[in-house]
Amino acid sequence: MAVFIAVVVVLAVLIYFMAVMLRSVISQANQQVNGYFSKNLEIYDERYRDTIHSMNQMHMEQESLSRELRGLKNEMISYRTSPFYAPRPLERDVYIPTARYVDNDFFEEYKTVKDKLQSIDKRSVIENVKNVVPFTGDMDRYELACGIVEKLNFDALYDLCTSQKEEQLQVLQDCLEPKEQKLLLEYIDDMTELDEFNVLSFLDYVRKVGRDNDPHLFVYVGVNEKDYSNPEKGIVCDVDTNICEGLKIIYQNKVYDYSIYKTRRKVGS
């Protein structure tokens, strides 16, 4: 009986140890399986992100190529409609279009603007600017400036420029009228202690005063246009060879441009 009990106890202990060892083996196996699965899942996630990134890049490149293709198609249509398009045959039936230097849209836009400029009443435009824009200048200052410019002709300027700076100022004070000396004093007051008097700079100042207070309205038109001058209303008309159509008005130092200009050319071309 005692032997039987001892055998049972030994078997129970062996079964317990075997159960503990089996549980430990199962736990380690679960950890290894979970670790393997997690590692593969991370690799899969990384590959998935790389795949999505590559697909987005391919989509952007596809859109860019589509835009370029549409631009090339539109350019080809523009080439074919251009009067300057002339394909040149080469070997193997390859055709390369010649360069197009003129924008087709320009001709239509130029025709529209030209028709409108030809249909306007230039005299009405001039009268409208003259009547709508009020004169804000000072006639007294304008007349003083004109008087000084008239006195400082080429000979007078030559004599003054060959004199010393102090002599230039003294000669001007002696020859200018008391009212005209007001502009001279204005110019001197604006000078700093380091500035030296210069008769040419003073003349530029006087001319600017004249332009700022000029009551005349200056009209510039193209060649073979009518003369819109009207001395009684202070309208002066002149020819600008660069104007193709329309007119340009300068009044009180402001420009009212209703013209089309020719292409600028280099001197000597």
Side-chain angles (χ1 to χ4, degrees), residues 229-247:
S229 298
N230 190 334
E232 295 181 357
K233 296 184 178 180
I235 300 175
V236 180
C237 187
D238 198 1
V239 175
D240 187 342
T241 56
N242 287 319
I243 293 179
C244 295
E245 303 292 342
L247 74 163

PDB file of all heavy atoms in Angstrom, residues 229-247:
ATOM      1  N   SER A 229      -3.913 121.701 -83.839  1.00  0.00           N
ATOM      2  CA  SER A 229      -3.472 122.858 -83.058  1.00  0.00           C
ATOM      3  C   SER A 229      -4.588 123.896 -82.969  1.00  0.00           C
ATOM      4  O   SER A 229      -5.343 124.118 -83.923  1.00  0.00           O
ATOM      5  CB  SER A 229      -2.229 123.483 -83.683  1.00  0.00           C
ATOM      6  OG  SER A 229      -1.152 122.561 -83.692  1.00  0.00           O
ATOM      7  N   ASN A 230      -4.645 124.546 -81.797  1.00  0.00           N
ATOM      8  CA  ASN A 230      -5.612 125.616 -81.583  1.00  0.00           C
ATOM      9  C   ASN A 230      -4.991 126.613 -80.606  1.00  0.00           C
ATOM     10  O   ASN A 230      -5.096 126.448 -79.387  1.00  0.00           O
ATOM     11  CB  ASN A 230      -6.922 125.056 -81.031  1.00  0.00           C
ATOM     12  CG  ASN A 230      -8.028 126.099 -81.013  1.00  0.00           C
ATOM     13  OD1 ASN A 230      -7.773 127.301 -80.934  1.00  0.00           O
ATOM     14  ND2 ASN A 230      -9.276 125.637 -81.082  1.00  0.00           N
ATOM     15  N   PRO A 231      -4.298 127.633 -81.124  1.00  0.00           N
ATOM     16  CA  PRO A 231      -3.598 128.579 -80.235  1.00  0.00           C
ATOM     17  C   PRO A 231      -4.519 129.254 -79.230  1.00  0.00           C
ATOM     18  O   PRO A 231      -4.096 129.541 -78.099  1.00  0.00           O
ATOM     19  CB  PRO A 231      -3.000 129.590 -81.221  1.00  0.00           C
ATOM     20  CG  PRO A 231      -2.919 128.856 -82.531  1.00  0.00           C
ATOM     21  CD  PRO A 231      -4.087 127.943 -82.549  1.00  0.00           C
ATOM     22  N   GLU A 232      -5.744 129.514 -79.610  1.00  0.00           N
ATOM     23  CA  GLU A 232      -6.662 130.192 -78.696  1.00  0.00           C
ATOM     24  C   GLU A 232      -6.957 129.329 -77.458  1.00  0.00           C
ATOM     25  O   GLU A 232      -7.123 129.863 -76.358  1.00  0.00           O
ATOM     26  CB  GLU A 232      -7.960 130.529 -79.420  1.00  0.00           C
ATOM     27  CG  GLU A 232      -7.773 131.546 -80.559  1.00  0.00           C
ATOM     28  CD  GLU A 232      -9.093 131.876 -81.233  1.00  0.00           C
ATOM     29  OE1 GLU A 232     -10.112 131.253 -80.837  1.00  0.00           O
ATOM     30  OE2 GLU A 232      -9.104 132.714 -82.142  1.00  0.00           O
ATOM     31  N   LYS A 233      -7.025 128.029 -77.637  1.00  0.00           N
ATOM     32  CA  LYS A 233      -7.292 127.123 -76.515  1.00  0.00           C
ATOM     33  C   LYS A 233      -6.024 126.523 -75.929  1.00  0.00           C
ATOM     34  O   LYS A 233      -6.098 125.677 -75.018  1.00  0.00           O
ATOM     35  CB  LYS A 233      -8.216 126.000 -76.974  1.00  0.00           C
ATOM     36  CG  LYS A 233      -9.603 126.490 -77.393  1.00  0.00           C
ATOM     37  CD  LYS A 233     -10.500 125.317 -77.754  1.00  0.00           C
ATOM     38  CE  LYS A 233     -11.891 125.785 -78.119  1.00  0.00           C
ATOM     39  NZ  LYS A 233     -12.788 124.653 -78.468  1.00  0.00           N
ATOM     40  N   GLY A 234      -4.869 126.934 -76.414  1.00  0.00           N
ATOM     41  CA  GLY A 234      -3.612 126.424 -75.868  1.00  0.00           C
ATOM     42  C   GLY A 234      -3.319 124.989 -76.267  1.00  0.00           C
ATOM     43  O   GLY A 234      -2.676 124.252 -75.509  1.00  0.00           O
ATOM     44  N   ILE A 235      -3.761 124.569 -77.452  1.00  0.00           N
ATOM     45  CA  ILE A 235      -3.532 123.203 -77.941  1.00  0.00           C
ATOM     46  C   ILE A 235      -2.419 123.239 -78.980  1.00  0.00           C
ATOM     47  O   ILE A 235      -2.515 123.964 -79.979  1.00  0.00           O
ATOM     48  CB  ILE A 235      -4.810 122.605 -78.540  1.00  0.00           C
ATOM     49  CG1 ILE A 235      -5.918 122.548 -77.475  1.00  0.00           C
ATOM     50  CG2 ILE A 235      -4.544 121.216 -79.106  1.00  0.00           C
ATOM     51  CD1 ILE A 235      -7.264 122.087 -78.016  1.00  0.00           C
ATOM     52  N   VAL A 236      -1.376 122.455 -78.748  1.00  0.00           N
ATOM     53  CA  VAL A 236      -0.224 122.384 -79.650  1.00  0.00           C
ATOM     54  C   VAL A 236      -0.129 120.966 -80.192  1.00  0.00           C
ATOM     55  O   VAL A 236      -0.084 119.999 -79.422  1.00  0.00           O
ATOM     56  CB  VAL A 236       1.084 122.762 -78.926  1.00  0.00           C
ATOM     57  CG1 VAL A 236       2.264 122.689 -79.881  1.00  0.00           C
ATOM     58  CG2 VAL A 236       0.973 124.151 -78.302  1.00  0.00           C
ATOM     59  N   CYS A 237      -0.119 120.833 -81.508  1.00  0.00           N
ATOM     60  CA  CYS A 237      -0.071 119.515 -82.146  1.00  0.00           C
ATOM     61  C   CYS A 237       1.280 119.321 -82.818  1.00  0.00           C
ATOM     62  O   CYS A 237       1.825 120.241 -83.428  1.00  0.00           O
ATOM     63  CB  CYS A 237      -1.200 119.377 -83.174  1.00  0.00           C
ATOM     64  SG  CYS A 237      -1.349 117.719 -83.885  1.00  0.00           S
ATOM     65  N   ASP A 238       1.803 118.097 -82.708  1.00  0.00           N
ATOM     66  CA  ASP A 238       3.094 117.773 -83.315  1.00  0.00           C
ATOM     67  C   ASP A 238       3.049 116.331 -83.820  1.00  0.00           C
ATOM     68  O   ASP A 238       2.187 115.545 -83.423  1.00  0.00           O
ATOM     69  CB  ASP A 238       4.223 117.961 -82.308  1.00  0.00           C
ATOM     70  CG  ASP A 238       5.578 118.058 -82.985  1.00  0.00           C
ATOM     71  OD1 ASP A 238       5.625 117.991 -84.233  1.00  0.00           O
ATOM     72  OD2 ASP A 238       6.599 118.198 -82.278  1.00  0.00           O
ATOM     73  N   VAL A 239       4.001 115.984 -84.679  1.00  0.00           N
ATOM     74  CA  VAL A 239       4.053 114.654 -85.285  1.00  0.00           C
ATOM     75  C   VAL A 239       5.036 113.784 -84.523  1.00  0.00           C
ATOM     76  O   VAL A 239       6.154 114.203 -84.228  1.00  0.00           O
ATOM     77  CB  VAL A 239       4.463 114.744 -86.771  1.00  0.00           C
ATOM     78  CG1 VAL A 239       4.639 113.344 -87.354  1.00  0.00           C
ATOM     79  CG2 VAL A 239       3.420 115.518 -87.562  1.00  0.00           C
ATOM     80  N   ASP A 240       4.581 112.565 -84.202  1.00  0.00           N
ATOM     81  CA  ASP A 240       5.442 111.542 -83.609  1.00  0.00           C
ATOM     82  C   ASP A 240       5.511 110.391 -84.609  1.00  0.00           C
ATOM     83  O   ASP A 240       4.530 109.675 -84.823  1.00  0.00           O
ATOM     84  CB  ASP A 240       4.877 111.064 -82.268  1.00  0.00           C
ATOM     85  CG  ASP A 240       5.822 110.123 -81.539  1.00  0.00           C
ATOM     86  OD1 ASP A 240       6.743 109.571 -82.183  1.00  0.00           O
ATOM     87  OD2 ASP A 240       5.640 109.919 -80.322  1.00  0.00           O
ATOM     88  N   THR A 241       6.672 110.206 -85.237  1.00  0.00           N
ATOM     89  CA  THR A 241       6.806 109.200 -86.288  1.00  0.00           C
ATOM     90  C   THR A 241       6.662 107.771 -85.775  1.00  0.00           C
ATOM     91  O   THR A 241       6.519 106.838 -86.568  1.00  0.00           O
ATOM     92  CB  THR A 241       8.177 109.347 -86.986  1.00  0.00           C
ATOM     93  OG1 THR A 241       9.212 109.250 -86.000  1.00  0.00           O
ATOM     94  CG2 THR A 241       8.279 110.695 -87.678  1.00  0.00           C
ATOM     95  N   ASN A 242       6.706 107.570 -84.474  1.00  0.00           N
ATOM     96  CA  ASN A 242       6.549 106.222 -83.909  1.00  0.00           C
ATOM     97  C   ASN A 242       5.091 105.810 -83.756  1.00  0.00           C
ATOM     98  O   ASN A 242       4.812 104.652 -83.478  1.00  0.00           O
ATOM     99  CB  ASN A 242       7.236 106.140 -82.543  1.00  0.00           C
ATOM    100  CG  ASN A 242       8.745 106.126 -82.646  1.00  0.00           C
ATOM    101  OD1 ASN A 242       9.293 105.473 -83.524  1.00  0.00           O
ATOM    102  ND2 ASN A 242       9.409 106.858 -81.786  1.00  0.00           N
ATOM    103  N   ILE A 243       4.170 106.748 -83.931  1.00  0.00           N
ATOM    104  CA  ILE A 243       2.751 106.440 -83.749  1.00  0.00           C
ATOM    105  C   ILE A 243       2.182 105.898 -85.047  1.00  0.00           C
ATOM    106  O   ILE A 243       2.290 106.541 -86.099  1.00  0.00           O
ATOM    107  CB  ILE A 243       1.981 107.689 -83.286  1.00  0.00           C
ATOM    108  CG1 ILE A 243       2.427 108.103 -81.880  1.00  0.00           C
ATOM    109  CG2 ILE A 243       0.479 107.418 -83.295  1.00  0.00           C
ATOM    110  CD1 ILE A 243       1.733 109.337 -81.345  1.00  0.00           C
ATOM    111  N   CYS A 244       1.565 104.694 -84.970  1.00  0.00           N
ATOM    112  CA  CYS A 244       0.892 104.114 -86.140  1.00  0.00           C
ATOM    113  C   CYS A 244      -0.566 104.578 -86.230  1.00  0.00           C
ATOM    114  O   CYS A 244      -1.026 105.010 -87.284  1.00  0.00           O
ATOM    115  CB  CYS A 244       0.928 102.586 -86.054  1.00  0.00           C
ATOM    116  SG  CYS A 244       2.563 101.867 -86.158  1.00  0.00           S
ATOM    117  N   GLU A 245      -1.265 104.456 -85.134  1.00  0.00           N
ATOM    118  CA  GLU A 245      -2.681 104.822 -85.080  1.00  0.00           C
ATOM    119  C   GLU A 245      -2.962 105.569 -83.787  1.00  0.00           C
ATOM    120  O   GLU A 245      -2.275 105.398 -82.794  1.00  0.00           O
ATOM    121  CB  GLU A 245      -3.581 103.575 -85.143  1.00  0.00           C
ATOM    122  CG  GLU A 245      -3.376 102.692 -86.358  1.00  0.00           C
ATOM    123  CD  GLU A 245      -3.809 103.335 -87.655  1.00  0.00           C
ATOM    124  OE1 GLU A 245      -4.585 104.325 -87.586  1.00  0.00           O
ATOM    125  OE2 GLU A 245      -3.404 102.867 -88.718  1.00  0.00           O
ATOM    126  N   GLY A 246      -4.005 106.419 -83.834  1.00  0.00           N
ATOM    127  CA  GLY A 246      -4.433 107.111 -82.630  1.00  0.00           C
ATOM    128  C   GLY A 246      -3.635 108.371 -82.349  1.00  0.00           C
ATOM    129  O   GLY A 246      -3.001 108.955 -83.241  1.00  0.00           O
ATOM    130  N   LEU A 247      -3.636 108.763 -81.084  1.00  0.00           N
ATOM    131  CA  LEU A 247      -2.950 109.979 -80.670  1.00  0.00           C
ATOM    132  C   LEU A 247      -2.512 109.863 -79.222  1.00  0.00           C
ATOM    133  O   LEU A 247      -3.028 109.028 -78.470  1.00  0.00           O
ATOM    134  CB  LEU A 247      -3.847 111.202 -80.838  1.00  0.00           C
ATOM    135  CG  LEU A 247      -4.993 111.402 -79.821  1.00  0.00           C
ATOM    136  CD1 LEU A 247      -5.510 112.828 -79.878  1.00  0.00           C
ATOM    137  CD2 LEU A 247      -6.133 110.434 -80.061  1.00  0.00           C
TER     138      LEU A 247
END
